[in-house]
PDB file of all heavy atoms in Angstrom:
ATOM      1  N   ALA A   1       2.387 -28.686 -30.619  1.00 96.00           N
ATOM      2  CA  ALA A   1       1.555 -28.181 -31.671  1.00 96.00           C
ATOM      3  C   ALA A   1       2.265 -28.380 -33.025  1.00 96.00           C
ATOM      4  O   ALA A   1       1.667 -28.667 -34.043  1.00 96.00           O
ATOM      5  CB  ALA A   1       1.321 -26.618 -31.442  1.00 96.00           C
ATOM      6  N   GLY A   2       3.629 -28.181 -32.955  1.00 95.00           N
ATOM      7  CA  GLY A   2       4.409 -28.423 -34.148  1.00 95.00           C
ATOM      8  C   GLY A   2       4.348 -29.753 -34.604  1.00 95.00           C
ATOM      9  O   GLY A   2       4.302 -30.115 -35.824  1.00 95.00           O
ATOM     10  N   ALA A   3       4.538 -30.767 -33.665  1.00 94.00           N
ATOM     11  CA  ALA A   3       4.469 -32.136 -33.964  1.00 94.00           C
ATOM     12  C   ALA A   3       3.087 -32.588 -34.554  1.00 94.00           C
ATOM     13  O   ALA A   3       3.011 -33.377 -35.564  1.00 94.00           O
ATOM     14  CB  ALA A   3       4.733 -33.038 -32.706  1.00 94.00           C
ATOM     15  N   ALA A   4       2.002 -31.969 -34.101  1.00 93.00           N
ATOM     16  CA  ALA A   4       0.625 -32.224 -34.625  1.00 93.00           C
ATOM     17  C   ALA A   4       0.496 -31.840 -36.021  1.00 93.00           C
ATOM     18  O   ALA A   4      -0.340 -32.311 -36.737  1.00 93.00           O
ATOM     19  CB  ALA A   4      -0.335 -31.725 -33.664  1.00 93.00           C
ATOM     20  N   SER A   5       1.285 -30.821 -36.429  1.00 93.00           N
ATOM     21  CA  SER A   5       1.060 -30.236 -37.882  1.00 93.00           C
ATOM     22  C   SER A   5       2.010 -30.804 -38.803  1.00 93.00           C
ATOM     23  O   SER A   5       1.875 -30.547 -40.004  1.00 93.00           O
ATOM     24  CB  SER A   5       1.320 -28.658 -37.706  1.00 93.00           C
ATOM     25  OG  SER A   5       2.630 -28.463 -37.434  1.00 93.00           O
ATOM     26  N   LEU A   6       2.857 -31.771 -38.376  1.00 91.00           N
ATOM     27  CA  LEU A   6       3.860 -32.353 -39.288  1.00 91.00           C
ATOM     28  C   LEU A   6       3.470 -33.689 -39.799  1.00 91.00           C
ATOM     29  O   LEU A   6       2.742 -34.426 -39.177  1.00 91.00           O
ATOM     30  CB  LEU A   6       5.262 -32.378 -38.633  1.00 91.00           C
ATOM     31  CG  LEU A   6       5.790 -31.040 -38.217  1.00 91.00           C
ATOM     32  CD1 LEU A   6       7.032 -31.212 -37.272  1.00 91.00           C
ATOM     33  CD2 LEU A   6       6.312 -30.175 -39.480  1.00 91.00           C
ATOM     34  N   THR A   7       4.111 -34.096 -40.956  1.00 89.00           N
ATOM     35  CA  THR A   7       3.793 -35.417 -41.446  1.00 89.00           C
ATOM     36  C   THR A   7       5.140 -36.258 -41.485  1.00 89.00           C
ATOM     37  O   THR A   7       5.055 -37.446 -41.539  1.00 89.00           O
ATOM     38  CB  THR A   7       3.196 -35.395 -42.858  1.00 89.00           C
ATOM     39  OG1 THR A   7       4.018 -34.646 -43.728  1.00 89.00           O
ATOM     40  CG2 THR A   7       1.784 -34.720 -42.753  1.00 89.00           C
ATOM     41  N   ASP A   8       6.219 -35.631 -41.567  1.00 90.00           N
ATOM     42  CA  ASP A   8       7.583 -36.269 -41.682  1.00 90.00           C
ATOM     43  C   ASP A   8       7.919 -36.850 -40.245  1.00 90.00           C
ATOM     44  O   ASP A   8       8.063 -36.110 -39.328  1.00 90.00           O
ATOM     45  CB  ASP A   8       8.748 -35.327 -42.109  1.00 90.00           C
ATOM     46  CG  ASP A   8      10.021 -36.030 -42.381  1.00 90.00           C
ATOM     47  OD1 ASP A   8      10.230 -37.105 -41.702  1.00 90.00           O
ATOM     48  OD2 ASP A   8      10.747 -35.510 -43.145  1.00 90.00           O
ATOM     49  N   PRO A   9       8.098 -38.174 -40.109  1.00 90.00           N
ATOM     50  CA  PRO A   9       8.386 -38.726 -38.718  1.00 90.00           C
ATOM     51  C   PRO A   9       9.646 -38.163 -38.131  1.00 90.00           C
ATOM     52  O   PRO A   9       9.657 -38.072 -36.988  1.00 90.00           O
ATOM     53  CB  PRO A   9       8.474 -40.223 -39.152  1.00 90.00           C
ATOM     54  CG  PRO A   9       7.675 -40.461 -40.309  1.00 90.00           C
ATOM     55  CD  PRO A   9       7.824 -39.203 -41.173  1.00 90.00           C
ATOM     56  N   LEU A  10      10.589 -37.854 -38.990  1.00 90.00           N
ATOM     57  CA  LEU A  10      11.870 -37.321 -38.403  1.00 90.00           C
ATOM     58  C   LEU A  10      11.561 -35.979 -37.815  1.00 90.00           C
ATOM     59  O   LEU A  10      12.138 -35.722 -36.720  1.00 90.00           O
ATOM     60  CB  LEU A  10      12.975 -37.228 -39.528  1.00 90.00           C
ATOM     61  CG  LEU A  10      14.322 -36.882 -39.131  1.00 90.00           C
ATOM     62  CD1 LEU A  10      14.822 -38.093 -38.156  1.00 90.00           C
ATOM     63  CD2 LEU A  10      15.235 -36.802 -40.251  1.00 90.00           C
ATOM     64  N   LEU A  11      10.860 -35.091 -38.401  1.00 94.00           N
ATOM     65  CA  LEU A  11      10.583 -33.808 -37.839  1.00 94.00           C
ATOM     66  C   LEU A  11       9.604 -33.921 -36.579  1.00 94.00           C
ATOM     67  O   LEU A  11       9.797 -33.239 -35.683  1.00 94.00           O
ATOM     68  CB  LEU A  11       9.870 -32.930 -38.860  1.00 94.00           C
ATOM     69  CG  LEU A  11      10.799 -32.566 -40.140  1.00 94.00           C
ATOM     70  CD1 LEU A  11      10.027 -31.718 -41.111  1.00 94.00           C
ATOM     71  CD2 LEU A  11      12.004 -31.863 -39.626  1.00 94.00           C
ATOM     72  N   ILE A  12       8.690 -34.846 -36.728  1.00 93.00           N
ATOM     73  CA  ILE A  12       7.869 -35.097 -35.532  1.00 93.00           C
ATOM     74  C   ILE A  12       8.715 -35.587 -34.357  1.00 93.00           C
ATOM     75  O   ILE A  12       8.471 -35.054 -33.220  1.00 93.00           O
ATOM     76  CB  ILE A  12       6.854 -36.227 -35.833  1.00 93.00           C
ATOM     77  CG1 ILE A  12       5.812 -35.633 -36.843  1.00 93.00           C
ATOM     78  CG2 ILE A  12       5.999 -36.584 -34.655  1.00 93.00           C
ATOM     79  CD1 ILE A  12       4.872 -36.644 -37.429  1.00 93.00           C
ATOM     80  N   ALA A  13       9.656 -36.365 -34.575  1.00 92.00           N
ATOM     81  CA  ALA A  13      10.511 -36.939 -33.460  1.00 92.00           C
ATOM     82  C   ALA A  13      11.281 -35.715 -32.861  1.00 92.00           C
ATOM     83  O   ALA A  13      11.447 -35.667 -31.669  1.00 92.00           O
ATOM     84  CB  ALA A  13      11.498 -37.953 -34.009  1.00 92.00           C
ATOM     85  N   GLU A  14      11.751 -34.798 -33.640  1.00 94.00           N
ATOM     86  CA  GLU A  14      12.473 -33.668 -33.188  1.00 94.00           C
ATOM     87  C   GLU A  14      11.583 -32.727 -32.354  1.00 94.00           C
ATOM     88  O   GLU A  14      12.006 -32.213 -31.254  1.00 94.00           O
ATOM     89  CB  GLU A  14      13.131 -32.839 -34.227  1.00 94.00           C
ATOM     90  CG  GLU A  14      13.830 -31.615 -33.933  1.00 94.00           C
ATOM     91  CD  GLU A  14      14.910 -31.789 -32.855  1.00 94.00           C
ATOM     92  OE1 GLU A  14      15.463 -32.970 -32.782  1.00 94.00           O
ATOM     93  OE2 GLU A  14      15.357 -30.787 -32.321  1.00 94.00           O
ATOM     94  N   SER A  15      10.352 -32.535 -32.705  1.00 95.00           N
ATOM     95  CA  SER A  15       9.420 -31.700 -31.937  1.00 95.00           C
ATOM     96  C   SER A  15       9.121 -32.403 -30.656  1.00 95.00           C
ATOM     97  O   SER A  15       9.050 -31.642 -29.664  1.00 95.00           O
ATOM     98  CB  SER A  15       8.118 -31.515 -32.729  1.00 95.00           C
ATOM     99  OG  SER A  15       8.409 -30.754 -33.909  1.00 95.00           O
ATOM    100  N   LEU A  16       8.943 -33.719 -30.650  1.00 94.00           N
ATOM    101  CA  LEU A  16       8.647 -34.390 -29.348  1.00 94.00           C
ATOM    102  C   LEU A  16       9.849 -34.325 -28.462  1.00 94.00           C
ATOM    103  O   LEU A  16       9.721 -34.233 -27.252  1.00 94.00           O
ATOM    104  CB  LEU A  16       8.273 -35.824 -29.622  1.00 94.00           C
ATOM    105  CG  LEU A  16       6.978 -36.051 -30.448  1.00 94.00           C
ATOM    106  CD1 LEU A  16       6.737 -37.512 -30.617  1.00 94.00           C
ATOM    107  CD2 LEU A  16       5.803 -35.389 -29.693  1.00 94.00           C
ATOM    108  N   ARG A  17      11.095 -34.251 -29.034  1.00 93.00           N
ATOM    109  CA  ARG A  17      12.259 -34.258 -28.250  1.00 93.00           C
ATOM    110  C   ARG A  17      12.364 -32.887 -27.524  1.00 93.00           C
ATOM    111  O   ARG A  17      12.692 -32.767 -26.351  1.00 93.00           O
ATOM    112  CB  ARG A  17      13.539 -34.490 -29.082  1.00 93.00           C
ATOM    113  CG  ARG A  17      14.826 -34.432 -28.333  1.00 93.00           C
ATOM    114  CD  ARG A  17      16.069 -34.418 -29.201  1.00 93.00           C
ATOM    115  NE  ARG A  17      16.193 -33.088 -29.819  1.00 93.00           N
ATOM    116  CZ  ARG A  17      16.759 -32.051 -29.287  1.00 93.00           C
ATOM    117  NH1 ARG A  17      17.207 -32.095 -27.991  1.00 93.00           N
ATOM    118  NH2 ARG A  17      16.771 -30.896 -29.818  1.00 93.00           N
ATOM    119  N   LEU A  18      11.990 -31.816 -28.298  1.00 95.00           N
ATOM    120  CA  LEU A  18      11.977 -30.475 -27.744  1.00 95.00           C
ATOM    121  C   LEU A  18      11.046 -30.400 -26.559  1.00 95.00           C
ATOM    122  O   LEU A  18      11.343 -29.796 -25.541  1.00 95.00           O
ATOM    123  CB  LEU A  18      11.657 -29.464 -28.783  1.00 95.00           C
ATOM    124  CG  LEU A  18      12.759 -29.274 -29.955  1.00 95.00           C
ATOM    125  CD1 LEU A  18      12.277 -28.317 -30.926  1.00 95.00           C
ATOM    126  CD2 LEU A  18      14.035 -28.789 -29.284  1.00 95.00           C
ATOM    127  N   ALA A  19       9.885 -30.954 -26.689  1.00 95.00           N
ATOM    128  CA  ALA A  19       8.960 -30.983 -25.632  1.00 95.00           C
ATOM    129  C   ALA A  19       9.522 -31.716 -24.400  1.00 95.00           C
ATOM    130  O   ALA A  19       9.249 -31.315 -23.245  1.00 95.00           O
ATOM    131  CB  ALA A  19       7.613 -31.590 -26.013  1.00 95.00           C
ATOM    132  N   ARG A  20      10.181 -32.782 -24.633  1.00 93.00           N
ATOM    133  CA  ARG A  20      10.788 -33.625 -23.529  1.00 93.00           C
ATOM    134  C   ARG A  20      11.888 -32.707 -22.829  1.00 93.00           C
ATOM    135  O   ARG A  20      11.954 -32.757 -21.601  1.00 93.00           O
ATOM    136  CB  ARG A  20      11.314 -34.915 -24.050  1.00 93.00           C
ATOM    137  CG  ARG A  20      11.736 -35.822 -22.853  1.00 93.00           C
ATOM    138  CD  ARG A  20      12.012 -37.263 -23.453  1.00 93.00           C
ATOM    139  NE  ARG A  20      13.166 -37.320 -24.376  1.00 93.00           N
ATOM    140  CZ  ARG A  20      13.029 -37.480 -25.744  1.00 93.00           C
ATOM    141  NH1 ARG A  20      11.801 -37.691 -26.265  1.00 93.00           N
ATOM    142  NH2 ARG A  20      14.067 -37.518 -26.489  1.00 93.00           N
ATOM    143  N   VAL A  21      12.632 -32.034 -23.546  1.00 93.00           N
ATOM    144  CA  VAL A  21      13.693 -31.153 -22.985  1.00 93.00           C
ATOM    145  C   VAL A  21      13.062 -30.147 -22.098  1.00 93.00           C
ATOM    146  O   VAL A  21      13.529 -29.821 -21.001  1.00 93.00           O
ATOM    147  CB  VAL A  21      14.494 -30.465 -24.106  1.00 93.00           C
ATOM    148  CG1 VAL A  21      15.258 -29.394 -23.575  1.00 93.00           C
ATOM    149  CG2 VAL A  21      15.314 -31.413 -24.852  1.00 93.00           C
ATOM    150  N   ALA A  22      11.886 -29.566 -22.450  1.00 94.00           N
ATOM    151  CA  ALA A  22      11.192 -28.575 -21.647  1.00 94.00           C
ATOM    152  C   ALA A  22      10.802 -29.232 -20.360  1.00 94.00           C
ATOM    153  O   ALA A  22      10.813 -28.612 -19.259  1.00 94.00           O
ATOM    154  CB  ALA A  22       9.989 -27.967 -22.392  1.00 94.00           C
ATOM    155  N   PHE A  23      10.249 -30.455 -20.403  1.00 94.00           N
ATOM    156  CA  PHE A  23       9.747 -31.209 -19.229  1.00 94.00           C
ATOM    157  C   PHE A  23      10.996 -31.432 -18.287  1.00 94.00           C
ATOM    158  O   PHE A  23      10.838 -31.362 -17.027  1.00 94.00           O
ATOM    159  CB  PHE A  23       9.052 -32.553 -19.561  1.00 94.00           C
ATOM    160  CG  PHE A  23       7.790 -32.322 -20.266  1.00 94.00           C
ATOM    161  CD1 PHE A  23       7.229 -33.349 -21.119  1.00 94.00           C
ATOM    162  CD2 PHE A  23       7.015 -31.247 -20.035  1.00 94.00           C
ATOM    163  CE1 PHE A  23       6.044 -33.179 -21.688  1.00 94.00           C
ATOM    164  CE2 PHE A  23       5.751 -31.082 -20.690  1.00 94.00           C
ATOM    165  CZ  PHE A  23       5.284 -32.114 -21.520  1.00 94.00           C
ATOM    166  N   ASP A  24      12.080 -31.874 -18.875  1.00 92.00           N
ATOM    167  CA  ASP A  24      13.248 -32.153 -18.019  1.00 92.00           C
ATOM    168  C   ASP A  24      13.731 -30.865 -17.399  1.00 92.00           C
ATOM    169  O   ASP A  24      14.181 -30.961 -16.149  1.00 92.00           O
ATOM    170  CB  ASP A  24      14.412 -32.718 -18.901  1.00 92.00           C
ATOM    171  CG  ASP A  24      14.092 -34.199 -19.315  1.00 92.00           C
ATOM    172  OD1 ASP A  24      13.206 -34.835 -18.703  1.00 92.00           O
ATOM    173  OD2 ASP A  24      14.730 -34.650 -20.331  1.00 92.00           O
ATOM    174  N   ALA A  25      13.652 -29.772 -18.010  1.00 92.00           N
ATOM    175  CA  ALA A  25      14.098 -28.497 -17.368  1.00 92.00           C
ATOM    176  C   ALA A  25      13.229 -28.083 -16.287  1.00 92.00           C
ATOM    177  O   ALA A  25      13.671 -27.511 -15.275  1.00 92.00           O
ATOM    178  CB  ALA A  25      14.112 -27.396 -18.383  1.00 92.00           C
ATOM    179  N   LEU A  26      11.882 -28.416 -16.384  1.00 92.00           N
ATOM    180  CA  LEU A  26      10.963 -28.068 -15.374  1.00 92.00           C
ATOM    181  C   LEU A  26      11.315 -28.802 -14.086  1.00 92.00           C
ATOM    182  O   LEU A  26      11.150 -28.250 -13.000  1.00 92.00           O
ATOM    183  CB  LEU A  26       9.570 -28.476 -15.823  1.00 92.00           C
ATOM    184  CG  LEU A  26       8.772 -27.550 -16.735  1.00 92.00           C
ATOM    185  CD1 LEU A  26       7.524 -28.156 -17.260  1.00 92.00           C
ATOM    186  CD2 LEU A  26       8.419 -26.223 -15.969  1.00 92.00           C
ATOM    187  N   LEU A  27      11.719 -30.018 -14.166  1.00 91.00           N
ATOM    188  CA  LEU A  27      12.040 -30.872 -12.971  1.00 91.00           C
ATOM    189  C   LEU A  27      13.466 -30.745 -12.580  1.00 91.00           C
ATOM    190  O   LEU A  27      13.820 -31.304 -11.541  1.00 91.00           O
ATOM    191  CB  LEU A  27      11.694 -32.331 -13.290  1.00 91.00           C
ATOM    192  CG  LEU A  27      10.253 -32.592 -13.602  1.00 91.00           C
ATOM    193  CD1 LEU A  27      10.042 -34.074 -13.964  1.00 91.00           C
ATOM    194  CD2 LEU A  27       9.267 -32.165 -12.487  1.00 91.00           C
ATOM    195  N   GLY A  28      14.354 -30.079 -13.288  1.00 88.00           N
ATOM    196  CA  GLY A  28      15.639 -29.912 -12.915  1.00 88.00           C
ATOM    197  C   GLY A  28      16.654 -30.864 -13.451  1.00 88.00           C
ATOM    198  O   GLY A  28      17.754 -30.975 -12.918  1.00 88.00           O
ATOM    199  N   ARG A  29      16.182 -31.651 -14.425  1.00 83.00           N
ATOM    200  CA  ARG A  29      17.146 -32.717 -14.955  1.00 83.00           C
ATOM    201  C   ARG A  29      18.128 -32.159 -15.976  1.00 83.00           C
ATOM    202  O   ARG A  29      19.121 -32.680 -16.236  1.00 83.00           O
ATOM    203  CB  ARG A  29      16.289 -33.805 -15.646  1.00 83.00           C
ATOM    204  CG  ARG A  29      15.490 -34.661 -14.690  1.00 83.00           C
ATOM    205  CD  ARG A  29      14.513 -35.563 -15.329  1.00 83.00           C
ATOM    206  NE  ARG A  29      13.800 -36.270 -14.290  1.00 83.00           N
ATOM    207  CZ  ARG A  29      12.725 -36.925 -14.490  1.00 83.00           C
ATOM    208  NH1 ARG A  29      12.129 -36.942 -15.706  1.00 83.00           N
ATOM    209  NH2 ARG A  29      12.074 -37.644 -13.525  1.00 83.00           N
ATOM    210  N   THR A  30      17.775 -30.978 -16.486  1.00 74.00           N
ATOM    211  CA  THR A  30      18.701 -30.186 -17.270  1.00 74.00           C
ATOM    212  C   THR A  30      18.620 -28.679 -16.743  1.00 74.00           C
ATOM    213  O   THR A  30      17.651 -28.116 -16.787  1.00 74.00           O
ATOM    214  CB  THR A  30      18.376 -30.182 -18.773  1.00 74.00           C
ATOM    215  OG1 THR A  30      17.006 -29.620 -18.912  1.00 74.00           O
ATOM    216  CG2 THR A  30      18.491 -31.575 -19.287  1.00 74.00           C
ATOM    217  N   THR A  31      19.779 -28.154 -16.190  1.00 63.00           N
ATOM    218  CA  THR A  31      19.715 -26.943 -15.570  1.00 63.00           C
ATOM    219  C   THR A  31      21.085 -26.284 -15.543  1.00 63.00           C
ATOM    220  O   THR A  31      22.115 -26.980 -15.997  1.00 63.00           O
ATOM    221  CB  THR A  31      19.053 -26.942 -14.206  1.00 63.00           C
ATOM    222  OG1 THR A  31      18.864 -25.604 -13.776  1.00 63.00           O
ATOM    223  CG2 THR A  31      19.996 -27.677 -13.241  1.00 63.00           C
ATOM    224  N   THR A  32      21.284 -25.090 -15.082  1.00 61.00           N
ATOM    225  CA  THR A  32      22.557 -24.447 -15.019  1.00 61.00           C
ATOM    226  C   THR A  32      22.913 -24.090 -13.541  1.00 61.00           C
ATOM    227  O   THR A  32      21.981 -23.855 -12.739  1.00 61.00           O
ATOM    228  CB  THR A  32      22.502 -23.108 -15.835  1.00 61.00           C
ATOM    229  OG1 THR A  32      21.607 -22.252 -15.269  1.00 61.00           O
ATOM    230  CG2 THR A  32      22.141 -23.447 -17.371  1.00 61.00           C
ATOM    231  N   GLU A  33      24.189 -23.937 -13.285  1.00 67.00           N
ATOM    232  CA  GLU A  33      24.539 -23.538 -11.916  1.00 67.00           C
ATOM    233  C   GLU A  33      24.141 -22.173 -11.536  1.00 67.00           C
ATOM    234  O   GLU A  33      23.789 -21.938 -10.379  1.00 67.00           O
ATOM    235  CB  GLU A  33      26.104 -23.678 -11.821  1.00 67.00           C
ATOM    236  CG  GLU A  33      26.637 -25.079 -11.812  1.00 67.00           C
ATOM    237  CD  GLU A  33      26.079 -25.825 -10.552  1.00 67.00           C
ATOM    238  OE1 GLU A  33      26.157 -25.360  -9.470  1.00 67.00           O
ATOM    239  OE2 GLU A  33      25.556 -26.986 -10.804  1.00 67.00           O
ATOM    240  N   ASP A  34      24.066 -21.283 -12.587  1.00 62.00           N
ATOM    241  CA  ASP A  34      23.642 -19.879 -12.169  1.00 62.00           C
ATOM    242  C   ASP A  34      22.163 -19.911 -11.750  1.00 62.00           C
ATOM    243  O   ASP A  34      21.812 -19.172 -10.869  1.00 62.00           O
ATOM    244  CB  ASP A  34      23.774 -18.971 -13.443  1.00 62.00           C
ATOM    245  CG  ASP A  34      25.267 -18.640 -13.713  1.00 62.00           C
ATOM    246  OD1 ASP A  34      26.080 -18.902 -12.782  1.00 62.00           O
ATOM    247  OD2 ASP A  34      25.603 -18.290 -14.811  1.00 62.00           O
ATOM    248  N   MET A  35      21.342 -20.688 -12.410  1.00 59.00           N
ATOM    249  CA  MET A  35      19.928 -20.710 -12.142  1.00 59.00           C
ATOM    250  C   MET A  35      19.752 -21.307 -10.775  1.00 59.00           C
ATOM    251  O   MET A  35      18.971 -20.830  -9.952  1.00 59.00           O
ATOM    252  CB  MET A  35      19.159 -21.459 -13.168  1.00 59.00           C
ATOM    253  CG  MET A  35      17.646 -21.383 -12.999  1.00 59.00           C
ATOM    254  SD  MET A  35      16.965 -22.505 -11.835  1.00 59.00           S
ATOM    255  CE  MET A  35      17.201 -23.992 -12.797  1.00 59.00           C
ATOM    256  N   LEU A  36      20.542 -22.370 -10.465  1.00 67.00           N
ATOM    257  CA  LEU A  36      20.410 -22.973  -9.108  1.00 67.00           C
ATOM    258  C   LEU A  36      20.969 -22.056  -8.043  1.00 67.00           C
ATOM    259  O   LEU A  36      20.381 -21.987  -6.946  1.00 67.00           O
ATOM    260  CB  LEU A  36      21.276 -24.250  -9.119  1.00 67.00           C
ATOM    261  CG  LEU A  36      20.732 -25.436 -10.012  1.00 67.00           C
ATOM    262  CD1 LEU A  36      21.717 -26.623  -9.795  1.00 67.00           C
ATOM    263  CD2 LEU A  36      19.366 -25.836  -9.564  1.00 67.00           C
ATOM    264  N   ASP A  37      22.001 -21.316  -8.266  1.00 71.00           N
ATOM    265  CA  ASP A  37      22.513 -20.365  -7.329  1.00 71.00           C
ATOM    266  C   ASP A  37      21.386 -19.298  -7.018  1.00 71.00           C
ATOM    267  O   ASP A  37      21.262 -18.950  -5.878  1.00 71.00           O
ATOM    268  CB  ASP A  37      23.686 -19.640  -7.910  1.00 71.00           C
ATOM    269  CG  ASP A  37      24.936 -20.519  -7.904  1.00 71.00           C
ATOM    270  OD1 ASP A  37      24.878 -21.582  -7.214  1.00 71.00           O
ATOM    271  OD2 ASP A  37      25.876 -20.248  -8.650  1.00 71.00           O
ATOM    272  N   ALA A  38      20.681 -18.785  -8.110  1.00 66.00           N
ATOM    273  CA  ALA A  38      19.673 -17.767  -7.927  1.00 66.00           C
ATOM    274  C   ALA A  38      18.493 -18.416  -7.090  1.00 66.00           C
ATOM    275  O   ALA A  38      17.982 -17.730  -6.126  1.00 66.00           O
ATOM    276  CB  ALA A  38      19.205 -17.309  -9.217  1.00 66.00           C
ATOM    277  N   LEU A  39      18.093 -19.661  -7.330  1.00 66.00           N
ATOM    278  CA  LEU A  39      17.059 -20.271  -6.615  1.00 66.00           C
ATOM    279  C   LEU A  39      17.396 -20.511  -5.157  1.00 66.00           C
ATOM    280  O   LEU A  39      16.643 -20.026  -4.242  1.00 66.00           O
ATOM    281  CB  LEU A  39      16.597 -21.638  -7.345  1.00 66.00           C
ATOM    282  CG  LEU A  39      15.574 -22.461  -6.526  1.00 66.00           C
ATOM    283  CD1 LEU A  39      14.336 -21.637  -6.257  1.00 66.00           C
ATOM    284  CD2 LEU A  39      15.342 -23.779  -7.148  1.00 66.00           C
ATOM    285  N   PHE A  40      18.400 -21.243  -4.911  1.00 72.00           N
ATOM    286  CA  PHE A  40      18.737 -21.573  -3.542  1.00 72.00           C
ATOM    287  C   PHE A  40      19.220 -20.443  -2.698  1.00 72.00           C
ATOM    288  O   PHE A  40      19.260 -20.472  -1.530  1.00 72.00           O
ATOM    289  CB  PHE A  40      19.714 -22.847  -3.479  1.00 72.00           C
ATOM    290  CG  PHE A  40      19.052 -24.145  -4.071  1.00 72.00           C
ATOM    291  CD1 PHE A  40      19.389 -24.540  -5.330  1.00 72.00           C
ATOM    292  CD2 PHE A  40      18.058 -24.669  -3.394  1.00 72.00           C
ATOM    293  CE1 PHE A  40      18.917 -25.671  -5.779  1.00 72.00           C
ATOM    294  CE2 PHE A  40      17.470 -25.891  -3.852  1.00 72.00           C
ATOM    295  CZ  PHE A  40      17.884 -26.346  -5.080  1.00 72.00           C
ATOM    296  N   GLY A  41      19.640 -19.307  -3.312  1.00 73.00           N
ATOM    297  CA  GLY A  41      20.056 -18.143  -2.648  1.00 73.00           C
ATOM    298  C   GLY A  41      18.805 -17.521  -1.952  1.00 73.00           C
ATOM    299  O   GLY A  41      18.967 -16.639  -1.158  1.00 73.00           O
ATOM    300  N   ARG A  42      17.623 -17.866  -2.418  1.00 71.00           N
ATOM    301  CA  ARG A  42      16.376 -17.315  -1.790  1.00 71.00           C
ATOM    302  C   ARG A  42      16.093 -17.954  -0.390  1.00 71.00           C
ATOM    303  O   ARG A  42      15.423 -17.385   0.363  1.00 71.00           O
ATOM    304  CB  ARG A  42      15.117 -17.599  -2.673  1.00 71.00           C
ATOM    305  CG  ARG A  42      15.203 -16.937  -4.050  1.00 71.00           C
ATOM    306  CD  ARG A  42      13.988 -17.462  -4.858  1.00 71.00           C
ATOM    307  NE  ARG A  42      12.795 -17.281  -4.202  1.00 71.00           N
ATOM    308  CZ  ARG A  42      11.598 -17.971  -4.720  1.00 71.00           C
ATOM    309  NH1 ARG A  42      11.649 -18.622  -5.830  1.00 71.00           N
ATOM    310  NH2 ARG A  42      10.472 -17.733  -3.991  1.00 71.00           N
ATOM    311  N   PHE A  43      16.674 -19.060  -0.162  1.00 72.00           N
ATOM    312  CA  PHE A  43      16.487 -19.745   1.170  1.00 72.00           C
ATOM    313  C   PHE A  43      17.351 -19.132   2.277  1.00 72.00           C
ATOM    314  O   PHE A  43      18.405 -18.447   1.939  1.00 72.00           O
ATOM    315  CB  PHE A  43      16.817 -21.252   1.043  1.00 72.00           C
ATOM    316  CG  PHE A  43      15.858 -22.142   0.216  1.00 72.00           C
ATOM    317  CD1 PHE A  43      15.901 -22.079  -1.169  1.00 72.00           C
ATOM    318  CD2 PHE A  43      14.966 -22.808   0.866  1.00 72.00           C
ATOM    319  CE1 PHE A  43      15.155 -22.781  -1.890  1.00 72.00           C
ATOM    320  CE2 PHE A  43      14.097 -23.645   0.122  1.00 72.00           C
ATOM    321  CZ  PHE A  43      14.166 -23.601  -1.306  1.00 72.00           C
ATOM    322  N   CYS A  44      16.898 -19.314   3.462  1.00 75.00           N
ATOM    323  CA  CYS A  44      17.689 -18.857   4.662  1.00 75.00           C
ATOM    324  C   CYS A  44      18.802 -19.810   4.900  1.00 75.00           C
ATOM    325  O   CYS A  44      18.787 -20.970   4.449  1.00 75.00           O
ATOM    326  CB  CYS A  44      16.788 -18.641   5.801  1.00 75.00           C
ATOM    327  SG  CYS A  44      15.969 -20.200   6.364  1.00 75.00           S
ATOM    328  N   ILE A  45      19.778 -19.350   5.634  1.00 71.00           N
ATOM    329  CA  ILE A  45      20.799 -20.402   6.134  1.00 71.00           C
ATOM    330  C   ILE A  45      20.178 -21.344   7.094  1.00 71.00           C
ATOM    331  O   ILE A  45      19.401 -20.945   7.976  1.00 71.00           O
ATOM    332  CB  ILE A  45      22.002 -19.591   6.765  1.00 71.00           C
ATOM    333  CG1 ILE A  45      22.665 -18.678   5.761  1.00 71.00           C
ATOM    334  CG2 ILE A  45      22.856 -20.505   7.457  1.00 71.00           C
ATOM    335  CD1 ILE A  45      23.731 -17.743   6.357  1.00 71.00           C
ATOM    336  N   GLY A  46      20.525 -22.586   6.971  1.00 71.00           N
ATOM    337  CA  GLY A  46      19.834 -23.588   7.802  1.00 71.00           C
ATOM    338  C   GLY A  46      18.736 -24.320   7.166  1.00 71.00           C
ATOM    339  O   GLY A  46      18.243 -25.221   7.692  1.00 71.00           O
TER     340      GLY A  46
END
């Protein structure tokens, strides 16, 4: 939404980068060990 409201290409590029960061986090391409520990701790042994 921010990218759609802007006219400066540099600011548009930054908004698109932020959207891409969110997509990467959804798929686990950028994440933290604490979050992974919490997720996989839900699984049973085996």
Side-chain angles (χ1 to χ4, degrees):
S5 66
L6 297 169
T7 56
D8 187 332
L10 192 61
L11 297 178
I12 293 174
E14 175 60 15
S15 294
L16 296 181
R17 186 191 68 82
L18 292 175
R20 189 168 65 251
V21 167
F23 290 155
D24 287 344
L26 281 167
L27 299 178
R29 291 171 180 162
T30 56
T31 187
T32 65
E33 287 300 311
D34 288 345
M35 190 276 288
L36 293 178
D37 289 342
L39 169 62
F40 293 110
R42 293 172 54 193
F43 289 79
C44 58
I45 295 174

